[in-house]
Amino acid sequence: MTQVSDAYDPEDLLDLGPLPTYDGYHATQVAFPLGGIGTGCVSLTARGALVDWEIFNRPNKGTILPYSFFTIWARAQGQEPVTRVVQGPPSPPFTGQGGGGYQGYGFGVTREDGSGLPHMWSSEFRGEFPFAWVEFEDPALPVQVSLEAYSPFIPMNAAESGLPIAVLYYTVANISDKPVDVSLVGSLFNPVGYRGSGPFIGEHLGGNVNEYFDDGLVRGLRMGSDKYPADSPRYGTMALSTPWSDVFHQAASLRAGWFDAMHDFWDHFSADGTLPEREYPPSADGSSDVGSLGLRAHLEPGDSTILPFFISWHFPNFVKYWGSGGDSCCCGHDCRPVWRNYYASQWTDAADAAHYYADHEDRLYGQTKLFHDSLFASTLPPYVLDAVSSQASILHSPTVLRLPDGTFYGFEGCHSDAGCCEGSCTHVWNYAQTVAFLFPALERSFREADYTYNLDDSGHMGFRLQLPLGSPPSQFHAAADGQLGGLLKLYRDWRLCGDDVWLRKWWPQAKRALEYAWTQWDSDRDGVIDGIQHNTYDIEFSGPNSMIGSFYLGALRAAEEMARHLGEAESADEYRELYERGRARLDGELFNGEWYVQRPNWELTPKYQYGEGCLADQVIGQWLATLAGLGPILDQEHVRTTLQSIFAHNWRAELWEHANAQRIYALNDEKGLLACTWPHGSRPAIPFPYSDEVWCGMEYQVASHLIYEGFVEEGLAIVRGTRERHEGTRRNPWNEFECGSHYARSLASWGVLTALSGFEFDLPHRTLGFTPRITPDDWLSFWSVDGAWGTYAQEIEDGRGTASLRLDYGSLKLDCLVLGSVAQAAPVDVKVAGKPVAAEASMVDGRMVVCLKEGVELQKGQALTVRVG
Amino acid sequence: MTQVSDAYDPEDLLDLGPLPTYDGYHATQVAFPLGGIGTGCVSLTARGALVDWEIFNRPNKGTILPYSFFTIWARAQGQEPVTRVVQGPPSPPFTGQGGGGYQGYGFGVTREDGSGLPHMWSSEFRGEFPFAWVEFEDPALPVQVSLEAYSPFIPMNAAESGLPIAVLYYTVANISDKPVDVSLVGSLFNPVGYRGSGPFIGEHLGGNVNEYFDDGLVRGLRMGSDKYPADSPRYGTMALSTPWSDVFHQAASLRAGWFDAMHDFWDHFSADGTLPEREYPPSADGSSDVGSLGLRAHLEPGDSTILPFFISWHFPNFVKYWGSGGDSCCCGHDCRPVWRNYYASQWTDAADAAHYYADHEDRLYGQTKLFHDSLFASTLPPYVLDAVSSQASILHSPTVLRLPDGTFYGFEGCHSDAGCCEGSCTHVWNYAQTVAFLFPALERSFREADYTYNLDDSGHMGFRLQLPLGSPPSQFHAAADGQLGGLLKLYRDWRLCGDDVWLRKWWPQAKRALEYAWTQWDSDRDGVIDGIQHNTYDIEFSGPNSMIGSFYLGALRAAEEMARHLGEAESADEYRELYERGRARLDGELFNGEWYVQRPNWELTPKYQYGEGCLADQVIGQWLATLAGLGPILDQEHVRTTLQSIFAHNWRAELWEHANAQRIYALNDEKGLLACTWPHGSRPAIPFPYSDEVWCGMEYQVASHLIYEGFVEEGLAIVRGTRERHEGTRRNPWNEFECGSHYARSLASWGVLTALSGFEFDLPHRTLGFTPRITPDDWLSFWSVDGAWGTYAQEIEDGRGTASLRLDYGSLKLDCLVLGSVAQAAPVDVKVAGKPVAAEASMVDGRMVVCLKEGVELQKGQALTVRVG
């Protein structure tokens, strides 16, 4: 029985403050993804190095692009110049890692990232997605160097948030008392032809060309290859460019053996801060070149400037490397499906993407910054902001793709060099909330693809979308949780956009998917699922249980609401009736006074059940229903007791005594929520796989649900424990993994924000609402619905105070605002953009609802303000 | 210009004390090799886990044998039992490492080593090769658990030091106040069929059988496979056994899916401290089993016992996986040479090796312990003992082999999964001293193989022995340093054994190898090498230089001595004359007042020369000559000045400003000796490869030489710096790598011991000598020559005191003992085994030489004692 106080002082859980900083030498696991949605990414380490080049249409962990780094040269007047690779010191171990010939373990620190050259003494990293900052320190340099790195990320604007670019702004400040000449050179290997994983050097190279370009707006090196036709998966371009005007370049480093090229680079650049131009014909087969672009500045004492670099890429042709054929297809590339990335239809090549960015730099930077500022202005504990924001970086990761028509697609997560596993998996993505709130159109494209391609006539839904789009659906088990969760997600997405046309379009398919339950899982139509239930634990449950059961009840309730809205009263009544029956049985037969148990059909499924266990996910359907605005679907007191039991039994303040034969995502002194426990015994000899594991996504689900039901400290403790496990030396704060990196389930973290803010959205009725769960007298939080985002602030105490809904982006038609913190009727004074408007406040279910007489369409920069009492 | 005091307080350098201990959680790089000479090894980590299973006839870094670990169960009377995997806690990062499907990065801590099961709270590791100890701590256990691990390692006894076994003695002490029942179970995966590298699971498995055996002396599981014939490289056996009598076993863990087997293991063992027997038919193709052997004990309060486990192996057939054909030979295994390991002819299988060990346990353990105790009793600073002993572990590593006839063979070092590079490379092994002193017969087999197989009629010597033995020699450049160094090594080896028959047998070949210089490198026979000189930097020097030149001068002097001894006065005179001419030119033309420069022939070799540089290896021939007892071959004052210059210019107290485009073996705040510097400029645009690197083996060479020439602090500072780089978190103390792991050059560290003890050996004249360089008034050190080893102790101050040569192993015919610490004539009183013997002391070159009138043959346990003054 764990209590919050076993781990934390409950009061500390509410402390506000900055997010953590990461010392580059120790926080070796930090890797912050830079890139667009569906473009892949490259990640920035706490040393300030670029690693994990996952821009080649597949994951690619642990990679560094050879000799691709930044080097600064600074000469204070009358003094010797100082030259530094702009990276903190390499971190132990210094043995080299992995295998290979003349490299890897036993060959020392890699020299390919410049580790052997003089580098900064230290670095300190901060990350507030989508921004990362690195401060470098070196006692010998006459300048102070820091880096701001980001890629455009603007909620509601998926297209421009899909720019294939990493933007690096280096701030250089003269901290000496003499004028300083500065030269900052970026070097980049031309990898065009690369297979997407494995060594960068190899026979895929050849014909590589680095061309200097200057289109008036940006200038730099465009890197291509003449070896591959435009439809080849190996075809593409990269660019290293800048809008800075005082530049020099070296298209290729010395072509020579041994270490000659690096000697040549260093000796030239460290001597006088420049590199001689050098032109070569296209590279020989099997080889390529490193190109360098230098930016020069003169700084008087006290001056500082920002030296901007853009790394952009354009690898248009995505090859399906998994499934039949896969990597080792015997008949070559031609038999593997290839399609075009969505981003490839927006920009013509890497230089074009850089040009586009430069052309819209102020707006793209400004709107991304505004999103950041609005989100991080929230009066949430830092670890919550960290959980909420950091996992949004999954949208920059290779976990997600955009298909040729723009359809959003997600793996579950990433193997080191491949997606894992395919198909926007309905049961894993059940947990994910971030996309629904930040890019609702992308989330809706999940629903659309599911109902277009995964559903057969019987209502059986493949739970893994098969590519290319239009491929026949999988014939494997339907996933009960994924398929039924789809109804709840459809309901949520409709409530977020208010688009009845859209709902009506997909409603027939949604019905079919729901009613498939009657042929498969609830064949006796008693409202209780009891057939073979494949689910997110990759096995099949059997018999009544509240985990799948709550999805079913939530789906029935969501379907009832949608059917009624669409005028299908008969269906609505039928769903309602079934729901009532099922709810009665679940609450009556499965609740043991502390939690809901499973009644397995042991003959059908002799192994891998949970039986009397306390399953962390046991009321997940209720969570989704609550989040989507459906209210209680099970007895609320049962649910509350259950959530308390889950926290007490499944959350651990340390794991020293936990025996886990399964996958290890938390251990030793770490805190974590176990997927299942058997507090009163009856643990099966062979429990279901994953029962003894700790999943971040599940933790956010439970934490969010605890908070929705008022157990704020318990929910916060779970979140804090999760994030403490990702402290930079143990794990990467920007990569919560489960079955692989950047695991989509962690997108459940957005649900912690919606729970803490008590955010309600009912766009069909032009209504938003907030019930802050902490500090209602001093509250500010980010919110978003389809087409609009902004902040909500309130200072309400004892039913008196002000509330203000501010729009930072888009526009929003609004009729009503629910003030959940006001429990008694009181006079209200409402303004829109500073001007009084007519409104009426009424009390509904003990909460104040303020409705505008005329409604309003709020515009960017405007606020709706309510003074109460 | 570095001074010792820039890095250390010179007085601290002499402090004695214990060797470092390593905390298992932080010292993640510790891996201590267990195994025999030429058998491969498995390594023990500071957590107490077994890793790097390199027993399959090739290196195999980063591997863990699935589910192979030890687990303890302890139940104090009347209390709940406590069960722990006998390993310290897993260390960060917790992300998983490397690639693969459903494993590696993004899949969490590996569960294959039991990391998910309850384990010890902490572990502390100590290693004094050949012994390692781990102390485990856990607050819940009623017992204290510690481990002593080793493999027999007895200087002069190469055969029994080649037992393919890792011996693990677990001491379990009851620290509670109640009787405790204890059960310690070892689990081991049957890997027979394994390819030597890559995943342990795969199609190579199948037909694996774990059989329980009890031969009366040992009992346990013999692991084999019926899939491969006895001559297959995949054929072999392993055994997990014990001489303990109260045992239980489970031949195979549950054959089942998911995590079922581990659940079954843990649930049974943690419940009652035993496992049910289980028998299966041979495993299905592609799979194998984990077998477990349990030892039971009952301990009253205060009692302790030692629970012994033997892990032995027998993989008799070595396949040549490199060179033509190599790993991917298109015609299958049959075209690749296969030979039998020497150890395979000594024991019939893994169970036989375990039986042999048990049968001779007291003697093998006792003699290994005596070697350890004698070595570590030495009054040397701990980091010197660490350097000297730890690198002897290379003899346990896959860097070395023993060929079918017992010939010793060495790679340079190890790639992660292959030797690197082949052929007992003459130039790298030039630096190595340990084998010559501890296993002189093995070292001599190097000479024998070189002169038998590498030498052609012209005197050209391949510098990489081609396998299988008898293959034609390489036609690539002869290595000038390796070939000429051979004469010095021959001379040393003869002086260490005193076997004139052996010398006479190889003398003609040695002459031929020397005189090859006259056709190739010194074609004008002026005593100065100036042709194309391939060397240990993997490039060719040209023109006069003292690096190759000193090898040549040393070779001429060694040849002169040997020729004269063998009665070839004419040759001796010729070599002498050439030596004198060459020495005059080197000292006259290359010494620049501070060091010896190179005069490259830039037309012949436009790149990769050192020219005016200060090369750390520039007087390496003098070092070998000094060590072998030849005395000065260059002007001694020049050499001393040169060594001081090398220290001042090339040794760095930190490397922040060092720009290294080459391989990175030292960096940041670390200390290290650079291979070359250009203190007065003239650094070539493209210097020779490795010029900017730090090599441990080169550091020991220079440190040893500095100490021989009286610069003790400088030499000690270098050694301490080297070992500080190997502090367990940055690098493995038992793996100094260069071009790969366990790099043979580091065997130069034995030269630090010979230098500090001023050890002289002249077995042809039955003479040993000592001139301790530190604390001559309180000195003890280990010594060894062919057939004998022991300790030398002296307490001599102001020419008065005692000296005692004690024999711990073998026998030694001795006429004279040189007391280098006695500078003036004085009366002596000599005893052998406590009995006075007649002796005469004379002063030769200012040092006392004590000669016995009758000579003596010292036996094991006897000492020769000299009281002076």
Side-chain angles (χ1 to χ4, degrees), chain A residues 425-433 481-482 485-486 489 551 623-624:
Chain A
C425 174
T426 57
H427 57 67
V428 169
W429 282 86
N430 260 348
Y431 297 69
Q433 301 303 326
D481 47 355
K489 292 184 277 193
F551 272 117
W623 171 63
L624 269 176

Side-chain angles (χ1 to χ4, degrees), chain A residues 220-432:
Chain A
L221 296 172
R222 180 188 182 277
M223 301 185 159
S225 165
D226 59 19
K227 185 167 177 169
Y228 300 96
D231 60 354
S232 164
R234 308 278 76 81
Y235 176 84
T237 52
M238 281 188 77
L240 173 65
S241 62
T242 184
W244 196 256
S245 54
D246 184 6
V247 304
F248 62 90
H249 73 277
Q250 182 179 74
S253 58
L254 191 68
R255 290 182 181 171
W258 285 103
F259 315 108
D260 300 7
M262 184 90 99
H263 281 300
D264 180 80
F265 167 82
W266 182 261
D267 288 353
H268 275 103
F269 186 65
S270 65
D272 58 10
T274 189
L275 294 168
E277 290 194 20
R278 181 184 286 124
E279 300 293 336
Y280 284 129
S283 67
D285 228 44
S287 71
S288 184
D289 296 307
V290 175
S292 293
L293 175 68
L295 279 55
R296 276 184 290 242
H298 178 85
L299 297 172
E300 292 297 320
D303 276 4
S304 77
T305 192
I306 296 175
L307 299 175
F309 280 96
F310 308 150
I311 295 175
S312 54
W313 58 92
H314 197 268
F315 295 98
N317 305 315
F318 192 105
V319 61
K320 187 185 175 192
Y321 53 80
W322 67 93
S324 62
D327 262 343
S328 56
C329 178
C330 56
C331 50
H333 291 159
D334 293 349
C335 67
R336 300 190 297 179
V338 175
W339 58 83
R340 262 179 100 74
N341 289 313
Y342 182 67
Y343 82 78
S345 60
Q346 296 178 277
W347 298 282
T348 58
D349 71 2
D352 182 46
H355 181 94
Y356 184 92
Y357 176 77
D359 206 17
H360 302 87
E361 184 172 19
D362 288 349
R363 181 175 52 81
L364 295 171
Y365 180 84
Q367 291 182 343
T368 305
K369 194 69 175 18
L370 186 58
F371 163 61
H372 163 273
D373 292 350
S374 298
L375 178 59
F376 285 90
S378 303
T379 52
L380 301 174
Y383 55 88
V384 172
L385 283 173
D386 196 29
V388 167
S389 65
S390 64
Q391 298 315 297
S393 71
I394 292 169
L395 297 185
H396 278 179
S397 82
T399 292
V400 308
L401 310 178
R402 290 195 72 186
L403 303 176
D405 65 356
T407 294
F408 189 61
Y409 176 94
F411 295 98
E412 297 179 18
C414 301
H415 291 292
S416 62
D417 68 352
C420 168
C421 299
E422 69 170 330
S424 307
C425 174
T426 57
H427 57 67
V428 169
W429 282 86
N430 260 348
Y431 297 69

Side-chain angles (χ1 to χ4, degrees), chain B residues 511-576:
Chain B
K511 276 183 73 168
R512 183 144 43 98
L514 172 63
E515 294 176 7
Y516 177 72
W518 303 342
T519 68
Q520 187 64 20
W521 300 308
D522 178 22
S523 48
D524 56 1
R525 291 213 208 179
D526 64 348
V528 175
I529 297 284
D530 50 15
I532 287 275
Q533 304 149 51
H534 185 78
N535 61 55
T536 201
Y537 312 119
D538 296 336
I539 45 77
E540 290 77 45
F541 286 156
S542 69
N545 68 86
S546 65
M547 189 260 192
I548 306 299
S550 66
F551 272 117
Y552 187 37
L553 296 184
L556 288 167
R557 277 284 293 117
E560 178 200 352
E561 295 288 333
M562 292 185 284
R564 214 171 292 285
H565 186 83
L566 296 174
E568 298 186 10
E570 200 175 326
S571 286
D573 290 344
E574 185 179 13
Y575 299 148
R576 179 74 193 198

Side-chain angles (χ1 to χ4, degrees), chain A residues 84 90 94 99 102 106 111 116 119 258 260 263 266 415-416 607-608 657 659-660 662 664 668 686 692 730 740, chain B residues 84 90 94 99 102 106 111 116 119 258 260 263 266 415-416 607-608 657 659-660 662 664 668 692 730 740:
Chain A
R84 292 288 184 267
F94 294 143
Y102 302 102
R111 63 185 174 278
H119 41 257
W258 285 103
D260 300 7
H263 281 300
W266 182 261
H415 291 292
S416 62
K607 290 201 292 193
Y608 307 141
E657 294 292 337
N660 176 13
Q662 307 178 359
I664 307 168
N668 295 350
I686 304 294
D692 301 330
R730 300 176 175 204
Chain B
R84 291 286 184 268
F94 294 143
Y102 302 102
R111 64 185 175 278
H119 41 257
W258 286 104
D260 299 8
H263 281 300
W266 182 261
H415 291 293
S416 62
K607 291 201 290 193
Y608 307 141
E657 294 292 337
N660 176 14
Q662 306 178 0
I664 307 168
N668 295 350
D692 301 331
R730 299 176 176 205

